[in-house]
């Protein structure tokens, strides 16, 4: 971004941030930092291929080839979890299999990117439903400065929460915060430019406070906004943590928000998993990127004392076909997988494996979670979300009551 455009954008942030950022009075008044469970969704964008990852499939005689890796190798195991000998899977599964619950054979019921994202991250195909991360933040940290952050991911607050989106790149988040919080030495501004922005910001705040037509709620919001950026407020702490980490990576931005106590959940996205051509080469690259990012996030969480509070949900909007097309790619396929990660839990180091050898969904017994072709049910996103709501103590929250799952079977993913 050129210097002139950046200064113009920074001035615009100073004038508009009251509307853009939610800063409750309680935060400015010294509300204790959020110390509960931290929820992260990791969205593998474009439709990953779980048969090359957590739901490995070998080739069946008489059927089209599912995977080239299976022509010369077999399924590998890390403890109780099978994985494909592909990309950097071995290092990832050997390191983290004890923290993982893998759910295979989830029917997303769509080949559409948009509908798949809605369905996978809310449990419904209707855009009116909030994402799990928004429900979690609204219930457990409603007065936090930035309850739920989205870094280029699919996030919806419904009618229960205003989600703060900081873009797919952490640099955009840093630019926004730099315009109000960070000092001139942030690396983006000359000192005289910083003073100009601060002067404009003070003028804007003074004008807003002087308005005679403001209702009491608006005055409280403006006062909270101003005090939250006075050097001791929660958002200033967040900005300071970003500076301490010294990076614009959005995954690090999520850890900075958690370590600052201003957020309870974050949605992260990335990768290029829409592999209609050269499936193996591009999936290998994307999966290596994904597992590397997840590993780095866990390591950073450990470094900042957050790992014991972290719950991570990893998934994609759908998957890839059980055969290659003419370009050696794979097209859209509705049967997918989801991984839930947490440390030191009795429900981890497990796989719910109910896709068949050709990667079609099978029915599962609600209690045993074993394939049951007579009395079982297909796993849909709503089953996973209902179980996650219960596990995260959201089932009786106001948000869950407003957006309920009715007549949905209980599946014992978490015991």
């Amino acid at each position: 971004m050129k210097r002139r455009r950046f200064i113009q954008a920074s001035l615009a942030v100073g004038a508009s941030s009251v509307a853009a950022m939610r800063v409750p009075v309680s935060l400015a008044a010294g509300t204790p930092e959020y110390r509960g469970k931290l929820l992260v969704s990791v969205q593998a964008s474009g439709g990953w291929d779980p048969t090359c990852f957590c739901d490995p499939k070998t080739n069946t005689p008489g059927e089209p080839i599912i995977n080239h890796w299976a022509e010369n190798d077999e399924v590998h195991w890390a403890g109780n979890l099978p994985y494909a000998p592909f990309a950097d899977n071995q290092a990832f599964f050997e390191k983290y299999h004890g923290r993982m619950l893998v759910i295979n054979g989830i029917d997303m019921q769509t080949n559409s990117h948009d509908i798949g994202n809605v369905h996978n991250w809310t449990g419904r195909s209707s855009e009116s439903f909030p994402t799990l991360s928004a429900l979690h933040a609204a219930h457990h940290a409603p007065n936090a400065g930035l309850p739920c952050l989205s870094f280029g991911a699919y996030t919806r607050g419904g009618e229960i929460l205003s989600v703060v989106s900081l873009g797919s790149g952490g640099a955009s988040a840093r630019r926004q915060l730099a315009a109000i919080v960070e000092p001139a030495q942030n690396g983006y501004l000359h000192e005289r430019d910083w003073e100009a922005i601060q002067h404009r910001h003070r003028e804007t705040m003074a004008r807003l406070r002087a308005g005679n037509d403001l209702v009491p709620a608006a005055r409280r919001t403006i006062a909270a906004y101003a005090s939250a950026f006075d050097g001791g407020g929660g958002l200033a702490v967040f900005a300071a943590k970003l500076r301490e980490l010294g990076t614009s990576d959005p995954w690090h931005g999520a850890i900075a928000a958690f370590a600052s106590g201003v957020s309870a959940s974050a949605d992260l996205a990335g990768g290029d998993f829409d592999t209609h051509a050269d499936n193996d080469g591009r999936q290998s690259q994307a999966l290596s990127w994904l597992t590397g990012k997840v590993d780095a996030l866990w390591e950073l969480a450990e470094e900042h004392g957050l790992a014991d509070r972290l719950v991570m949900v990893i998934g994609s909007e759908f998957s890839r076909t059980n055969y290659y097309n003419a370009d050696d790619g794979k097209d859209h396929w509705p049967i997918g997988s989801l991984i839930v990660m947490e440390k030191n839990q009795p429900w981890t180091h497990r796989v719910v494996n109910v896709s068949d050898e050709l990667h079609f969904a099978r029915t599962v017994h609600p209690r045993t979670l074993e394939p049951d072709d007579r009395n079982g049910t297909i796993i849909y996103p709503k089953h996973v979300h209902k179980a996650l709501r219960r596990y995260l103590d959201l089932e009786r929250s106001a948000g869950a009551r407003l957006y309920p799952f009715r007549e949905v079977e209980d599946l014992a993913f978490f015991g």
Side-chain angles (χ1 to χ4, degrees):
M1 178 182 287
K2 292 184 178 180
R3 179 171 171 270
R4 180 185 297 274
R5 289 181 59 196
F6 173 71
I7 293 172
Q8 291 172 342
S10 298
L11 291 173
V13 169
S16 63
S17 291
V18 172
M21 287 191 174
R22 175 184 178 276
V23 187
V25 174
S26 56
L27 176 67
T31 297
E33 297 177 2
Y34 174 71
R35 292 300 178 192
K37 282 187 182 289
L38 303 166
L39 178 64
V40 173
S41 78
V42 176
Q43 304 178 19
S45 301
W48 64 2
D49 186 353
T51 70
C52 291
F53 187 45
C54 59
D55 191 7
K57 301 298 179 189
T58 56
N59 300 318
T60 301
E63 297 289 343
I65 292 174
I66 295 181
N67 285 305
H68 289 314
W69 63 258
E71 295 173 321
N72 301 300
D73 210 335
E74 59 187 15
V75 173
H76 288 208
W77 291 79
N80 299 327
L81 302 188
Y83 67 89
F86 189 84
D88 295 325
N89 292 349
Q90 180 176 352
F92 181 73
F93 279 86
E94 286 184 354
K95 184 173 182 178
Y96 289 110
H97 62 84
R99 302 184 189 183
M100 300 167 67
L101 168 66
V102 178
I103 306 173
N104 294 324
I106 303 172
D107 190 350
M108 306 298 180
Q109 299 182 290
T110 185
N111 288 333
S112 162
H113 290 290
D114 291 341
I115 297 175
N117 270 318
V118 173
H119 201 185
N120 196 48
W121 300 110
T122 70
R124 292 291 193 194
S125 57
S126 167
E127 289 192 353
S128 63
F129 261 56
T131 50
L132 181 70
S133 53
L135 278 174
H136 176 76
H139 182 60
H140 292 298
N143 293 318
L146 303 167
C148 181
L149 288 174
S150 177
F151 294 91
Y154 178 81
T155 313
R156 291 292 183 274
E159 297 181 5
I160 61 172
L161 185 73
S162 296
V163 175
V164 176
S165 177
L166 295 179
S168 58
S172 63
R174 286 177 59 82
R175 282 195 293 270
Q176 292 180 53
L177 290 168
I180 303 171
V181 180
E182 294 188 338
Q185 57 265 33
N186 61 67
Y188 291 105
L189 300 173
H190 296 298
E191 188 172 351
R192 63 181 181 276
D193 297 330
W194 172 252
E195 179 53 37
I197 291 171
Q198 292 288 76
H199 179 71
R200 175 68 176 272
H201 179 59
R202 288 191 294 269
E203 286 185 339
T204 300
M205 294 308 302
R207 185 175 68 254
L208 289 170
R209 285 171 163 167
N212 295 323
D213 56 345
L214 292 177
V215 297
R219 289 186 181 279
R220 289 195 297 271
T221 298
I222 292 169
Y225 168 80
S227 60
F229 286 102
D230 66 2
L235 299 182
V237 175
F238 176 34
K241 185 62 69 173
L242 283 174
R243 290 199 303 274
E244 177 186 322
L245 293 175
T247 177
S248 61
D249 189 300
W251 300 61
H252 290 195
I255 293 296
F258 292 157
S260 305
V262 299
S263 298
S265 57
D267 296 322
L268 302 163
D272 182 12
F273 290 89
D274 200 13
T275 52
H276 294 280
D278 186 23
N279 182 79
D280 290 8
R282 292 174 59 197
Q283 285 283 330
S284 178
Q285 183 177 13
L287 283 169
S288 294
W289 176 90
L290 177 69
T291 55
K293 284 290 193 180
V294 170
D295 178 37
L297 189 67
W298 276 108
E299 289 291 340
L300 199 60
E302 292 280 3
E303 180 182 334
H304 288 271
L306 304 172
D308 290 332
R309 298 165 53 202
L310 188 63
V311 179
M312 186 182 297
V313 182
I314 309 171
S316 191
E317 60 261 42
F318 44 65
S319 69
R320 316 310 298 182
T321 50
N322 55 3
Y323 57 88
Y324 293 88
N325 61 28
D327 296 316
D328 218 25
K330 294 183 181 181
D331 301 317
H332 299 177
W333 187 253
I335 309 306
S337 299
L338 202 74
I339 299 174
V340 185
M341 298 183 70
E342 191 175 3
K343 289 183 66 177
N344 305 319
Q345 297 300 323
W347 46 265
T348 56
H349 199 195
R350 294 169 53 234
V351 58
V352 178
N353 207 7
V354 286
S355 66
D356 66 15
E357 66 277 6
L358 296 179
H359 203 213
F360 288 91
R362 296 184 62 185
T363 54
V364 61
H365 189 280
R367 294 303 307 170
T368 68
L369 300 181
E370 295 293 331
D372 185 343
D373 295 331
R374 296 186 60 185
N375 301 306
T377 179
I378 294 287
I379 300 177
Y380 298 109
K382 62 185 179 182
H383 293 110
V384 180
H385 277 265
K386 184 175 183 181
L388 280 167
R389 285 185 178 189
R390 178 169 296 174
Y391 179 69
L392 295 170
D393 195 27
L394 303 175
E395 195 173 36
R396 293 180 176 82
S397 68
R401 291 197 302 271
L402 186 61
Y403 298 96
F405 291 119
R406 294 191 176 94
E407 299 181 4
V408 175
E409 299 91 340
D410 290 310
L411 301 188
F413 297 121
F414 302 101

